[in-house]
Amino acid sequence: MSMERLWGLLQRTQRLSPRPSQTIYKRVEGTQQWRLEEEEEEGEEGAEPAAHFCPMELRGPDLGSRAGRQNLGLWAAAGRKAAPYLVLTALLIFTGAFLLGYVAFRGSCQACGDDVLVVPEDVNYEPGPDSHQGTLYWSDLQAMFLRFLGEGRLEDTIRQISLRKRMAGSAGMAALAQDIRGALSSQKLDHVWMDTHYVGLQFPHPAHPNTLHWVDAADKLGEPLPLEDHDVYCPYSATGNATGELVYAHYGRPEDLQDLRARGVETAGRLLLVRLGEISFAQKVHLGTGDPYTPGFPSFNQTQFPPVQSSGLPNIPAQPISADIASLLLRKLQGPVAPQEWQGRLPVSPYRLGPGPGLRLGVNNHRVSTPISNIFGCIEGRSEPDHYVVIGAQRDAWGPGAAKSAVGTAILLELVRTFSSMVSNGFQPRRSLLFISWDGGDFGSVGSTEWLEGYLSVLHLKAVVYVSLDNAVLGDDKFHAKTSPLLISLIENILKQVDSPNRSGQTLFEQVTFNSHSWDAEVIRPLPMDSSAYSFTAFAGVPAVEFSFMEDGQVYPFLHTKDDTYENLHTMLRGRLPAVAQAVAQLAGQLLIRLSHDHLLPLDFGRYGDVVLRHIGSLNEFSGDLKARGLTLQWVYSARGDYIRAAEKLRKEIYSSEERDERLMRMYNVRIMRVEFYFLSQYVSPADSPFRHIFLGRGDHTLGALLDHVRLLRSGGSGDPGATASRVAPGLGFQESRFRRQLALLTWTLQGAANALSGDVWNIDNNF
């Protein structure tokens, strides 16, 4: 081997060996990207230069001499023997350094995209082309969010909104809608627009007010009882007259009516006096959401539909009364004393169940086609603009509505301003943020439901999560998150990063677990029907959450009344209204950052396996009764097993995949964000059964309805008085044909969810 060849090998070894360098991101002029470039560290002046292999001059005997030729031969032989070892050593060093660097990079950036800087935290953000500042880490985003949020005037905004008259369809509401649209237009949003629906709303008849009279034993009309305020009424109440003796029915829940019958007090043919609270007006009056005169269809510009109305509309008249009239009526009641837990705070002792004197209630409400307007503002995402993280708040109110809608609207406006400021300072979400101010909320989430009905075919493909700001501050002692199971893990994570509004030095997570070891049992609740979030999940298949602070042991007494003022809410919270509202804003805002910014959607798709297992535990109690009839629940067990296996398989795929593969990550995100939609039964009509969700919905296709039906095996056909999931009338007893149909509806929906979670059809591997 010649000296020239040996020298070439040494030079190659030098090139393969590590040398002082650093990896940096540079902004390249003329482009809109951040590029990764390798730059050599230049030594400082006077510093010792790095050691390099240099050409060697062999000195000694004359090369023409024999001794010289022998020495040269020895050098050549040594070179031939050493070369392979030198090359192998260099390759090993290079490979080890490469693997070490790769592992370090991968471990420090679990949610990075192709153009994200290497950071040590779990979430990170890279600046856009127009930004003038450096990398935004997750901690930077949190600090930026809190700084801009703290610059707002949340308390002032709540007070100002609560002073404005804003009943749906009123001139005051139209003025407020224009003001809010103007406020959104003044921020750094990409799109601002308004959506108008024409819906059927009930209002008091201006010429024929509602009435309440005493009647004697012969049903002869007696003295009227003053209703005090003719603007107070029950929307969607049946119209007409109802006459009968009075009975006190606590909160009017199915179990309360069953309790009355068990105590020998009959409710049929009588007027019921019920308390405000525990269940919503929707559950006392209208079991549904949206415009009840176009169920399942959107109410756009005077669209004509066949004469149909929601099956959830009541067929009995209803009317709110004042505390003074309620006290007067309670004093007239006879019969057994009400249970201790039925006793209230009115100056009547004790409350009795009745019956009492006869009354006649006259309800003359009339239906009016009313325009309502939802207002939208959008910050477009940079990587997945067609995926929306949605946050909304009800804007309308029958009265001052401080707790009902002023708090939520104020928080919504503050979040718009805060995220707008963040965008101006370099923040660009991966997914689009959609801020919405809803109209018609006090009539049963009409605005939000009509929007969902109008864009259902689009939203189930594009909406990632919905966050509701309604009923956010009703107290400050307890905190509840009414939510889809998919969001529970993320909520737990965020609670650990938000300060408690009333316990200094504690996080919100520490507050809710102070007296309980199970945080989710203390905090997590199902979505209620009177929340705008309910329709997103039960109707559209979009995971949703609604946060609420409330008092421990008592409900906010002024909700849905004209006493729901800023002053009363502020007094009830003992001056802590600003702090509690700020905590809700922090919680919602950090949730939005994670959902719109994380590379992989932080939705826990495995949670539904636990939900199914919990329900199956209830069904297992009746397995012996079913077996005696030759029936089995085995198909449900198999479908649940397939879902759990599909979820675990997807989790492993994600764990072992390359996070920098944008196409792969988007594919995973699409599968994850549609999990909730998979639980909408594809075997029932949205027009006939709008709430198709098998766990949260209403109808015979739900797991709750199946459980109610199976209970009839032991109840002798009387049914469960608390059952609300099934529309089948109680008293028919257990029916095998109905059971088989329910089982098929439930099983195939659950199996379909397992198949969809598995991905492509060639990847489906189940035991069904």
Side-chain angles (χ1 to χ4, degrees):
M1 179 184 290
S2 66
M3 286 299 298
E4 289 79 13
R5 187 174 178 186
L6 176 60
W7 171 234
L9 286 172
L10 294 173
Q11 283 184 314
R12 287 177 60 194
T13 304
Q14 173 196 352
R15 288 196 297 271
L16 289 171
S17 64
R19 53 183 174 176
S21 66
Q22 64 176 355
T23 301
I24 65 171
Y25 282 78
K26 291 185 64 179
R27 178 69 179 275
V28 181
E29 292 296 323
T31 73
Q32 295 188 351
Q33 297 181 355
W34 292 75
R35 292 186 181 171
L36 176 66
E37 294 191 353
E38 297 282 345
E39 291 195 350
E40 294 295 324
E41 284 256 52
E42 301 208 2
E44 297 181 6
E45 187 175 350
E48 240 180 77
H52 291 281
F53 287 103
C54 298
M56 292 182 291
E57 183 180 359
L58 301 179
R59 297 184 182 276
D62 186 357
L63 292 179
S65 69
R66 181 181 179 136
R69 285 194 299 273
Q70 287 176 345
N71 284 337
L72 180 58
L74 291 172
W75 277 99
R80 282 195 299 271
K81 292 180 179 180
Y85 297 103
L86 288 171
V87 172
L88 182 59
T89 302
L91 287 173
L92 287 173
I93 293 172
F94 172 79
T95 304
F98 175 81
L99 290 174
L100 183 63
Y102 176 80
V103 171
F105 177 85
R106 185 181 176 91
S108 65
C109 185
Q110 292 298 322
C112 298
D114 284 341
D115 53 349
V116 181
L117 296 177
V118 182
V119 295
E121 289 132 333
D122 61 338
V123 183
N124 48 67
Y125 174 71
E126 69 278 13
D130 300 324
S131 173
H132 300 292
Q133 67 179 46
T135 309
L136 292 177
Y137 299 82
W138 169 239
S139 56
D140 297 329
L141 285 175
Q142 282 182 308
M144 180 191 292
F145 170 75
L146 294 175
R147 182 175 77 251
F148 287 127
L149 183 67
E151 294 174 359
R153 301 166 58 192
L154 194 50
E155 183 180 11
D156 238 17
T157 309
I158 296 172
R159 181 189 293 110
Q160 292 303 319
I161 293 174
S162 67
L163 292 175
R164 301 187 64 162
K165 294 184 182 299
R166 55 190 194 284
M167 179 179 280
S170 67
M173 171 54 83
L176 179 60
Q178 291 302 324
D179 290 347
I180 288 182
R181 184 176 186 176
L184 267 58
S185 299
S186 68
Q187 301 297 332
K188 194 175 178 62
L189 302 179
D190 296 300
H191 311 282
V192 175
W193 74 100
M194 188 178 289
D195 210 353
T196 300
H197 301 263
Y198 291 81
V199 297
L201 303 182
Q202 261 196 10
F203 295 98
H205 198 291
H208 305 284
N210 298 340
T211 59
L212 182 64
H213 287 82
W214 296 111
V215 295
D216 59 20
D219 286 345
K220 183 179 179 181
L221 214 60
E223 291 292 320
L225 283 84
L227 292 179
E228 298 180 4
D229 191 340
H230 294 297
D231 290 333
V232 176
Y233 71 110
C234 243
Y236 305 127
S237 162
T239 57
N241 299 319
T243 304
E245 295 176 314
L246 185 67
V247 168
Y248 171 51
H250 198 29
Y251 288 109
R253 299 168 297 186
E255 56 265 39
D256 296 332
L257 304 184
Q258 178 73 4
D259 200 349
L260 281 172
R261 287 191 287 269
R263 295 171 185 273
V265 180
E266 186 53 58
T267 58
R270 289 171 167 165
L271 270 66
L272 302 184
L273 178 63
V274 299
R275 300 171 66 181
L276 185 67
E278 288 299 315
I279 58 175
S280 67
F281 270 151
Q283 291 166 286
K284 297 177 194 288
V285 180
H286 172 215
L287 194 61
T289 63
D291 182 355
Y293 303 106
T294 59
F297 298 96
S299 299
F300 283 115
N301 196 10
Q302 307 294 342
T303 309
Q304 296 299 307
F305 291 99
V308 66
Q309 64 183 32
S310 168
S311 60
L313 280 174
N315 53 17
I316 58 173
Q319 171 68 31
I321 60 174
S322 68
D324 290 340
I325 297 298
S327 298
L328 175 62
L329 295 177
L330 284 168
R331 292 190 192 101
K332 300 285 186 179
L333 290 179
Q334 301 172 356
V337 174
Q340 182 58 41
E341 60 270 20
W342 288 34
Q343 301 295 322
R345 296 191 297 270
L346 294 177
V348 179
S349 183
Y351 285 23
R352 292 185 176 272
L353 299 179
L359 293 168
R360 174 173 292 179
L361 173 65
V363 175
N364 302 305
N365 303 336
H366 68 136
R367 172 186 166 191
V368 179
S369 180
T370 308
I372 62 171
S373 299
N374 301 322
I375 306 165
F376 304 81
C378 176
I379 297 174
E380 275 197 40
R382 60 177 177 82
S383 300
E384 301 177 40
D386 57 332
H387 290 164
Y388 317 145
V389 178
V390 188
I391 184 166
Q394 174 182 329
R395 184 175 71 249
D396 64 301
W398 287 329
K404 181 60 181 173
S405 63
V407 169
T409 299
I411 293 174
L412 180 72
L413 292 174
E414 285 302 303
L415 288 174
V416 169
R417 182 193 57 78
T418 298
F419 277 94
S420 176
S421 299
M422 291 174 67
V423 168
S424 298
N425 283 266
F427 173 62
Q428 284 183 296
R430 292 183 60 84
R431 300 169 195 94
S432 296
L433 285 168
L434 190 57
F435 304 92
I436 310 179
S437 173
W438 303 116
D439 199 353
D442 261 359
F443 290 83
S445 303
V446 175
S448 58
T449 303
E450 294 306 308
W451 185 69
L452 287 172
E453 289 175 341
Y455 300 100
L456 182 62
S457 58
V458 174
L459 291 174
H460 88 267
L461 298 172
K462 296 177 179 291
V464 176
V465 164
Y466 175 67
V467 180
S468 169
L469 297 173
D470 298 338
N471 304 307
V473 181
L474 304 174
D476 69 342
D477 291 332
K478 299 178 73 69
F479 172 79
H480 288 162
K482 293 158 277 189
T483 184
S484 158
L486 294 173
L487 288 162
I488 292 176
S489 297
L490 179 58
I491 291 169
E492 178 182 8
N493 182 275
I494 299 296
L495 288 178
K496 294 175 180 178
Q497 303 179 54
V498 175
D499 291 336
S500 167
N502 57 6
R503 293 190 180 179
S504 179
Q506 286 189 354
T507 65
L508 196 47
F509 184 83
E510 290 169 333
Q511 174 186 328
V512 299
T513 56
F514 185 75
N515 294 317
S516 173
H517 295 293
S518 176
W519 83 271
D520 50 347
E522 182 72 20
V523 171
I524 302 302
R525 297 290 185 274
L527 286 165
M529 183 175 276
D530 62 340
S531 165
S532 60
Y534 178 82
S535 291
F536 270 86
T537 301
F539 174 71
V542 177
V545 60
E546 179 176 286
F547 303 117
S548 292
F549 280 92
M550 54 195 61
E551 290 299 291
D552 190 7
Q554 63 173 321
V555 296
Y556 178 65
F558 307 117
L559 202 64
H560 300 292
T561 74
K562 290 199 170 183
D563 292 323
D564 183 15
T565 62
Y566 171 84
E567 290 73 22
N568 282 339
L569 182 60
H570 195 276
T571 300
M572 184 168 181
L573 267 69
R574 300 170 295 279
R576 288 201 290 268
L577 173 58
V580 179
Q582 187 81 358
V584 175
Q586 290 182 22
L587 186 64
Q590 295 193 51
L591 199 73
L592 293 183
I593 294 174
R594 290 293 308 274
L595 289 166
S596 66
H597 177 265
D598 278 18
H599 200 66
L600 188 73
L601 281 172
L603 300 179
D604 189 355
F605 48 85
R607 280 272 183 173
Y608 265 115
D610 300 332
V611 172
V612 180
L613 184 62
R614 187 169 64 248
H615 284 285
I616 286 179
S618 301
L619 288 169
N620 277 340
E621 179 186 347
F622 303 94
S623 58
D625 302 83
L626 292 170
K627 187 176 181 180
R629 292 173 174 255
L631 302 171
T632 178
L633 295 167
Q634 182 57 44
W635 301 117
V636 178
Y637 303 152
S638 297
R640 182 247 175 194
D642 285 340
Y643 181 85
I644 290 176
R645 282 188 290 275
E648 185 59 27
K649 181 181 176 183
L650 178 56
R651 198 186 307 278
K652 289 179 178 178
E653 284 181 24
I654 293 171
Y655 180 79
S656 60
S657 64
E658 174 54 67
E659 291 91 346
R660 292 169 59 83
D661 188 333
E662 287 283 347
R663 177 181 171 276
L664 189 60
M665 288 299 106
R666 179 179 174 86
M667 185 173 69
Y668 287 146
N669 281 337
V670 167
R671 283 162 68 182
I672 292 170
M673 67 181 278
R674 293 181 187 168
V675 167
E676 200 79 66
F677 178 76
Y678 300 153
F679 291 110
L680 298 188
S681 178
Q682 306 301 306
Y683 306 100
V684 295
S685 165
D688 298 331
S689 301
F691 305 124
R692 295 179 292 149
H693 202 286
I694 60 173
F695 300 117
L696 191 64
R698 295 288 189 275
D700 225 30
H701 60 283
T702 63
L703 200 154
L706 176 64
L707 183 58
D708 291 339
H709 187 199
V710 171
R711 287 193 180 108
L712 297 179
L713 287 167
R714 297 185 182 177
S715 63
S718 61
D720 180 2
T724 58
S726 174
R727 294 181 180 177
V728 178
L732 296 178
F734 182 84
Q735 304 164 44
E736 183 176 324
S737 60
R738 179 190 166 207
F739 169 80
R740 290 182 180 277
R741 183 176 185 277
Q742 285 181 302
L743 192 64
L745 289 172
L746 177 67
T747 301
W748 281 110
T749 302
L750 184 56
Q751 187 64 47
N755 294 344
L757 198 62
S758 296
D760 295 304
V761 291
W762 53 83
N763 288 328
I764 296 175
D765 179 20
N766 57 54
N767 297 327
F768 195 73

